[in-house]
């Protein structure tokens, strides 16, 4: 299946080469997210839990941005990469939760 | 020399089988020594510390160096054939995977000769395995040996995942794949997501032991429960890594020898996926007595029990595959049919263990030993034997002797139940596991004796199998392509053993059980999906071997703090990687038409 | 049939011989073990049902559908059967529910915390390579190897390890809980009947893991009070001055008796009345059912003091030679300790 | 596989996927990254579990200097953008530009590494060593693993630059470039979590 399927994909693939604009936008977005995160910490006097929340949120958004634009996950034919990463994240989440709650109880 | 450089999946499969089986004999010998020591109370056949070394090496060897490689042997021998491919996705990595496993296993077992043997159990719980309480190099062998072998396993997992996704013959959609291929696919997924956890755990333990890090050192702020979590987050998926391929084998064998298609194919697939998914969320059932608290224990209890449901689906689907079939009792099928009830016995004791409050009594007693040998020996090992007898003609072109095969089955099977059935009771009567001896008059004596006798029977069964192999070797290579006549999947359409390139022309798959479908429609061959032409093959390479030797040397360097040696070993490996990257492997071409004339 | 037989034999075994009542988990002597045993019975019944169904189908199929010689017919190729598949998904789910509910109830039931309960006896268990220390913080008493508790009270344990992991298990009373270094665990047990129960270490802890047994002795509340008083009484020292001095300088550097010495090694107060020396050498003059190989307390003490490594490989006690004890001193100390009994 | 010819040159449109080998490599590499997610995730959970175990050593909030971390972050982010440009150059079949972008990428990678080494040196001087506490062990292991990945990436990309000079852009070299770029992004993504979880959260306390 694999080979003939991709052959047809080859024909329907877009011919235009994409420009750099999208990536520069992604870059600026990443910069902004990073700066917000650092600023939140540098500001210092915000409530700790709220800072944590901002930090995690910024990180997650940033990861989505990078995965989608730079690692081409939003493009067609990336079903298996997406599954791989999600599965990995799933295992990791289980472990982080454990680390937080059950290692020191 | 040919064998050192081969990148052919069929040959690598045979290498895996050979190495894995030798390690099985070593692990079995260790088991026999364990059973001799436990034959009677207060026995002094081996010393206490030797006994701990024996169980540790027995468990580690059997799981990582015997069972997994033998499964890899079947995967390598069969998967590309079943999906109609010429080879795996990464033949070079395949060879590398074998050699790293081999040298990792070698390093682990050299500990016997170094006189410093791992002795903290196959689970290597800290602090017993940590530097404070384990000053010799024993556990270093465990840590580094497994690390190197683990690289091989991970590579194998990635390789087979990619192979099954990308290399299927035209027409073979996911839902037309043979069940063994499905099982290996899911197994590979488990490997890919479980082994890195072990890698990190071993790195942390290694840093603790070699560089005075404090991951698990209580005095340095470390945490011993963290190791338990890390080990079991890997460890529980690992047991499904072991059993799922066996499930796959049983699905193939049972269907073939009852001349029926597999009952409930899609629910079988779904069950596999569900087992794998749940398998990642139940690890703490090994830690019910660690003291995680009632919430964790309750959640993990329920999660664990749920696995019984998809597993049960598989069991009943096999039974109903047999139902209404025309069952032929070949050796392979005997092993498969022996598997079903035996595995159920082991599985249901697993569900008993899953009930946390009752597990407070079972945990670390012989009841657990009985449980896991039922699922492992009664499940996985019987499954491997079934697979070996079934695919032997395909791998080697010779049929194993059926008479001897049946003798193997009965001695091994009866010996097995003798050995491990009584161990349930030993555990309930209060016998902890990992004890090098026990006092008389505790109600353990007779049961232990029975158990040891059973182990000898299993030993005999194994020896009969070895004899069978040797005798078969002397026979001519005359197995038919469709050796069992009732073959259903693509591997039975090509000669036994297959030519180097497997398929002269990639076949076109027109349905589930591709070969069976053609046969029932009166065809004698698969429809080709491509014109006959020269076939591209990857060239053999010695680099995988050298890279593994490099890691092997580096392992010793780290262990004995010879940093130049460690650096040298790593350098060898990197230089090989460099060559691999710089010199393109253009491979060579075989022209099948010329072959025919030659 | 071949597979049913051992199962039936096993069942018979299960019903008749349940092992020693002071050791077996199948002969519970306290409410916790009883509760665990009840769970076992529920689960074993469910599992038996499952196994019987599977075996029945299996045997039927194997007999009914075997291939006759030369049979070339092709059986009907069945794809599946939704009704059946739903049955064998739903029925196991129900069975698991039946097991799951009492499981959860017991998990929380057994996790009750009695550490603040004034009525409960608090015991701090510290495991060492390869011996057990039992401290009663409320009472200011410490003992070793033989846990003494009153009947009828909740015993609330705090468990911790001084070195590697061990696990505290008294099968016939209830079990078990790991002892972790650096973190303490809790559990509670109850001893309704008087008696001496065998305890085991259930976590691999080194060469002598197999020999790390202990005893749990439950006595009437009145006796228990007497025992506490006797433990707190000033130490009885050896009569012979030389032996007393040797004992003080050599043994009490690590051990303790009464108010003397330190608790770095097992507390020896009243050792002459314990069932065992070192947890595994049974004293024929103390236990009810001595075996032919069992020796008296004094003999066992001599064996132990002379060469502890021979009895428990890897343990931390120096041998008589390392301690530079003469044979006379060994004999004297053994005699003294053998006579050190508490009245309760 | 009949290669699709692109107007500008001899190479197909996405040369990294033009052959079965190439597609296998891309897929296999993604699977490998899935495994890497778990690898780093485990390191993260060890770090999270042990982060407060500082004993006598310095605490995270005393130790870390945000400006330096911020600089490192910016460098790595920018290098990620450079590697995107490299892939775009490859898709346009512009070998010179490709080599240029790759070069900038590794220069930035090297500066990141330099900063990290400098940083570690400072910490050691402040008494924060591998064996100081569980916190320090897990910190050095996690951040060090990332550093080792960066170092490997730098070596790998340098090797690819050399191959570009020798072999040019072909269906054999293109997948390698593509993979190394994916790898580089992945390292960047991991760093996002490191600066969030290790540095920023550590600073917050
Ligand atoms: C191949 C290996 C393998 C497999 C497949 C399993 C399968 C299972 N295991 Fe096992 N297990 C091990 C290998 C394996 N295990 C090992 C090696 C250890 C010990 C490690 C060590 O400490 O050294 C261990 C230990 C272990 C423990 C920890 C015990 C302890 O240390 O205290 C537990 C606890 O829950 C457990 C549970 C289970 C369960 C619920 C399953 C389930 O997957 C079983 C599911 C199958 C069935 C239930 C049978 C078929 C189903 C039906 C016929 C349907 C109807 C059934 C019901 C309604 C019940 N196992
Ligand atoms: C794949 C896994 C696997 C397999 C196949 C086996 C197979 C066997 N195991 Fe094993 N076992 C484990 C995995 C496995 N085991 C694990 C993980 C542990 C836990 C370790 C720990 O606690 O850390 C364990 C522990 C364990 C114990 C408990 C030790 C203890 O807790 O104190 C016992 C005791 O009876 C035992 C017995 C056996 C026996 C009799 C076999 C038999 O089935 C073996 C049959 C094979 C043979 C008998 C080979 C015969 C070959 C010859 C006789 C020829 C030899 C010749 C040459 C070498 C030239 N095993
Ligand atoms: Cu498990």
């Amino acid at each position: 299946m694999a080979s003939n399927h991709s052959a047809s994909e080859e024909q329907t693939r877009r011919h235009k080469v994409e420009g750099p604009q999208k990536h520069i936008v992604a870059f600026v977005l990443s910069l902004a997210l990073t700066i917000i995160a650092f600023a939140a910490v540098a500001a210092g006097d915000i409530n700790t839990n709220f800072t944590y929340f901002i930090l995690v949120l910024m990180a997650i958004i940033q990861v989505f941005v990078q995965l989608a634009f730079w690692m081409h996950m939003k493009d067609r034919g990336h079903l298996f990469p997406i599954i791989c990463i999600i599965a990995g994240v799933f295992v990791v989440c289980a472990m982080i939760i454990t680390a937080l709650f059950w290692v020191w109880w | 020399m040919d064998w050192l450089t081969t990148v052919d999946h069929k040959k690598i499969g045979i290498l895996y089988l050979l190495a894995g089986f030798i390690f099985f004999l070593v692990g079995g010998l260790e088991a026999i020594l364990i059973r001799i020591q436990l034959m009677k109370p207060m026995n002094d056949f081996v010393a206490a510390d030797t006994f701990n070394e024996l169980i540790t090496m027995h468990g580690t060897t059997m799981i990582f160096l015997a069972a997994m490689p033998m499964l890899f042997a079947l995967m390598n021998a069969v998967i590309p054939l079943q999906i109609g491919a010429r080879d795996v996705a990464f033949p070079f990595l395949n060879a590398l995977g074998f050699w790293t496993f081999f040298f990792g296993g070698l390093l682990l077992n050299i500990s016997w000769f170094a006189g410093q043997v791992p002795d903290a159990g196959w689970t290597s719980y800290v602090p017993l395995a940590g530097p404070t309480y384990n000053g010799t190099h024993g556990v270093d062998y465990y840590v580094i040996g497994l690390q190197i072998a683990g690289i091989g396993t991970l590579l194998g997992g990635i390789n087979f995942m990619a192979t099954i996704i990308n290399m299927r013959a035209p027409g073979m959609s996911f839902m037309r794949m043979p069940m063994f291929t499905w099982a290996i696919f899911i197994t590979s997924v488990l490997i890919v997501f479980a082994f890195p956890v072990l890698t990190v755990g071993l790195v942390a333990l290694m840093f603790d032991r070699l560089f005075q890090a404090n991951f698990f050192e209580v005095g340095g702020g470390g945490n011993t429960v963290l190791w338990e979590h890390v080990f079991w987050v890997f460890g529980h998926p690992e047991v499904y890594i072991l059993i799922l391929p066996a499930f796959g084998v049983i699905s193939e064998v049972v269907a073939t020898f009852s001349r029926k298609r597999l009952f409930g194919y899609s629910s079988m697939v779904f069950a596999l996926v569900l087992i794998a998914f749940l398998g990642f969320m139940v690890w703490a059932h090994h830690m019910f007595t660690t003291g995680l608290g009632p919430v964790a224990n309750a959640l993990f209890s329920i999660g664990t029990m749920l696995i019984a449901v998809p597993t049960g689906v598989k069991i009943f689907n096999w039974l109903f595959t047999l139902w209404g079939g025309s069952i032929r009792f070949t050796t392979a099928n005997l092993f498969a049919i022996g598997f079903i009830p035996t595995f159920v016995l082991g599985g249901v004791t697993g569900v008993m263990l899953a009930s946390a409050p009752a597990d407070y009594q079972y945990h670390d007693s012989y009841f657990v030993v009985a449980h896991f040998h039922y699922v492992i020996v009664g499940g996985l090992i019987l499954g491997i034997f079934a697979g070996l007898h079934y695919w032997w003609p395909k791998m080697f072109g010779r049929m194993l002797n059926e008479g001897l095969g049946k003798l193997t089955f009965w001695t091994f099977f009866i010996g097995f139940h003798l050995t491990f059935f009584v161990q349930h009771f030993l555990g309930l009567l209060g016998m902890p596991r990992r004890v090098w001896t026990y006092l008389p008059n505790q109600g353990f004596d007779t049961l232990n004796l029975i158990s040891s006798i059973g182990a000898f029977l299993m030993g005999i069964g194994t020896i009969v199998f070895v004899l069978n192999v040797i005798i078969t070797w002397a026979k001519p290579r005359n197995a038919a392509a469709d050796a069992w006549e009732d073959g259903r999947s693509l591997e039975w359409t090509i000669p036994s053993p297959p030519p180097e390139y497997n398929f002269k022309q990639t076949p076109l798959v027109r349905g589930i059980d591709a070969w069976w479908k053609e046969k029932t429609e009166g065809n004698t061959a698969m429809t080709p999906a491509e014109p006959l032409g020269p076939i591209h093959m990857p060239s053999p390479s010695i680099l995988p071997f050298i890279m593994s030797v490099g890691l092997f040397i580096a392992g010793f360097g780290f262990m004995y703090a010879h940093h130049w040696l460690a650096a040298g070993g790593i350098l060898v490996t990197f230089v090989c990687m460099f060559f691999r990257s710089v010199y393109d492997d253009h491979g060579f071409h075989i022209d099948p038409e010329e072959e025919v004339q030659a | 049939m071949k597979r049913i037989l051992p199962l039936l034999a096993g069942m018979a075994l299960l019903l008749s011989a349940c092992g020693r009542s002071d050791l077996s988990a199948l002969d519970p002597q306290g409410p916790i073990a009883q509760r665990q045993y009840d769970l076992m019975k529920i689960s074993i019944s469910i599992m038996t049902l499952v196994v019987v169904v599977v075996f029945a189908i299996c045997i039927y199929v194997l007999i009914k559908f075997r291939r006759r010689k030369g049979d070339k017919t092709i059986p009907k190729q069945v794809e599946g059967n939704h009704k059946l598949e739903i049955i064998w998904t739903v029925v196991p789910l129900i069975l698991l529910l039946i097991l799951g509910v009492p499981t959860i109830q017991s998990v929380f039931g057994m996790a009750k915390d009695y550490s603040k309960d004034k009525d409960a006896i608090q015991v701090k268990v510290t495991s060492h390579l390869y011996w057990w220390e039992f401290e009663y913080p409320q009472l200011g008493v410490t003992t070793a190897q033989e846990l003494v508790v009153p009947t009828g009270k909740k015993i609330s344990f705090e468990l911790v390890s001084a070195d590697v992991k061990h696990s505290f298990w008294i099968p016939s009373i209830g079990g078990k809980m790991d002892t972790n270094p650096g973190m303490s665990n809790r559990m509670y047990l109850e001893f309704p009947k008087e008696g001496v129960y065998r305890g085991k270490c259930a976590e691999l802890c080194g060469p002598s893991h197999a020999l790390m047994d202990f005893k749990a002795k439950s006595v009437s509340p009145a006796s228990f009070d007497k025992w506490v008083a006797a433990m707190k009484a000033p130490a009885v020292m050896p009569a012979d001055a030389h032996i007393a001095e040797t004992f003080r300088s050599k043994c009490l550097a690590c051990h303790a008796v009464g108010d003397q010495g330190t608790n770095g090694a097992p507390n020896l107060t009243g050792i002459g009345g314990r069932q065992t020396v070192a947890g595994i050498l049974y004293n024929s003059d103390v236990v009810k059912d001595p075996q032919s190989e069992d020796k008296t307390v004094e003999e066992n003490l001599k064996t132990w003091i002379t060469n502890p490594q021979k009895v428990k490989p890897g343990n931390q006690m120096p041998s008589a030679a390392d301690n530079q004890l003469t044979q006379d001193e060994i004999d004297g100390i053994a005699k003294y300790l053998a006579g050190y009994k508490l009245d309760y | 596989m009949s290669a699709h010819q692109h107007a500008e040159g001899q190479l197909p449109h996405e040369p990294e996927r033009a052959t079965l080998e190439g597609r296998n490599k891309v897929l296999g590499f993604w699977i490998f990254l899935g495994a890497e997610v778990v690898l780093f995730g485990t390191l993260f959970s060890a770090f999270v579990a042990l982060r407060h175990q500082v004993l006598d050593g310095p605490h995270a909030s005393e130790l870390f200097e945000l400006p330096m971390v911020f600089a490192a972050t910016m460098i790595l982010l920018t290098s990620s953008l450079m590697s995107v440009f490299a892939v775009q150059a490859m898709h346009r079949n512009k070998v010179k530009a490709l080599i240029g972008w790759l070069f900038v990428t590794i220069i930035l990678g090297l500066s990141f590494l330099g900063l990290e080494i400098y940083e570690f040196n400072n910490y050691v001087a402040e008494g924060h060593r591998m064996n100081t506490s569980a916190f320090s062990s897990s910190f050095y292991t996690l951040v060090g693993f990332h550093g080792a990945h960066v170092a490997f990436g730098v070596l790998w990309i340098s090797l690819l630059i050399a191959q570009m000079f020798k072999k040019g852009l072909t269906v054999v070299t293109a997948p390698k470039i593509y993979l190394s770029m994916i790898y580089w992004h992945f390292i960047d993504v991991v760093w996002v979590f490191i600066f969030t979880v290790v540095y920023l959260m550590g600073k917050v306390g």
Side-chain angles (χ1 to χ4, degrees), chain D:
Chain D
M1 181 80 18
S2 63
H4 173 80
Q5 302 293 305
H6 192 262
E8 280 171 58
Q10 293 304 306
L11 274 181
H13 168 64
E14 280 185 337
E16 71 272 11
R17 284 168 215 273
T19 59
L20 179 61
E21 280 79 25
R23 280 195 304 278
N24 278 346
K25 276 191 184 159
V26 174
L27 176 68
F29 199 77
W30 273 103
I31 298 172
F32 169 72
L33 288 188
E36 289 262 79
V37 170
V38 179
L39 186 108
F40 276 106
T42 315
L43 286 167
F44 269 109
S45 22
F47 175 81
V48 167
L50 300 175
R51 68 193 185 285
H52 296 308
Q53 305 301 312
V54 290
L55 296 187
D56 306 330
H59 200 277
S61 52
E62 302 150 24
L63 197 64
F64 299 146
E65 290 159 29
L66 285 194
M68 204 150 66
V69 182
F70 186 72
T73 308
M74 287 304 143
I75 292 174
L76 208 58
L77 257 177
T78 315
S79 80
S80 225
L81 184 69
M82 299 301 114
S83 60
V84 170
F85 291 156
V87 172
Q88 292 200 333
M90 177 178 89
H91 283 171
R92 293 209 183 75
N93 200 8
K94 295 196 171 135
V95 182
K96 283 243 177 59
L98 168 58
I99 292 176
W101 291 122
L102 289 181
F103 197 70
V104 182
T105 307
I106 58 168
I107 292 294
L108 289 171
L110 279 175
S111 4
F112 174 87
L113 271 182
L115 249 154
E116 188 155 90
I117 291 170
Y118 173 75
E119 182 198 348
F120 279 14
N121 253 328
N122 276 357
Y123 293 164
V124 169
E126 286 176 47
H128 180 70
R129 297 162 204 281
M130 183 71 163
N131 55 7
T132 305
S133 63
F135 163 64
S136 72
S137 302
S138 55
F139 168 80
Y140 280 119
T141 310
L142 170 58
V143 183
F145 248 71
H146 178 265
H149 274 72
V150 176
F152 182 83
V154 167
L155 283 180
W156 185 14
I157 298 175
S158 320
L159 188 65
L160 291 183
I161 293 180
Q163 293 194 26
M164 273 305 112
F165 278 118
K166 228 182 101 201
K167 302 179 190 161
L169 195 57
T170 66
V171 286
V172 179
T173 48
K176 296 185 188 177
I177 302 277
Y178 186 77
L179 296 189
S180 66
M181 294 301 103
I182 296 273
Y183 176 80
W184 197 256
H185 291 310
F186 177 76
I187 292 175
D188 190 29
V189 170
V190 172
W191 182 255
V192 170
F193 279 101
I194 292 189
F195 83 68
T196 306
V197 174
V198 178
Y199 290 101
L200 293 183
M201 288 189 174
K203 206 71 193 171
V204 174

Side-chain angles (χ1 to χ4, degrees), chain C residues 114-127:
Chain C
Y114 288 97
S115 60
K116 302 278 178 304
D117 189 330
K118 295 241 163 29
D119 259 3
I121 303 286
Q122 305 294 327
V123 180
K124 181 171 180 197
V125 179
T126 309
S127 55

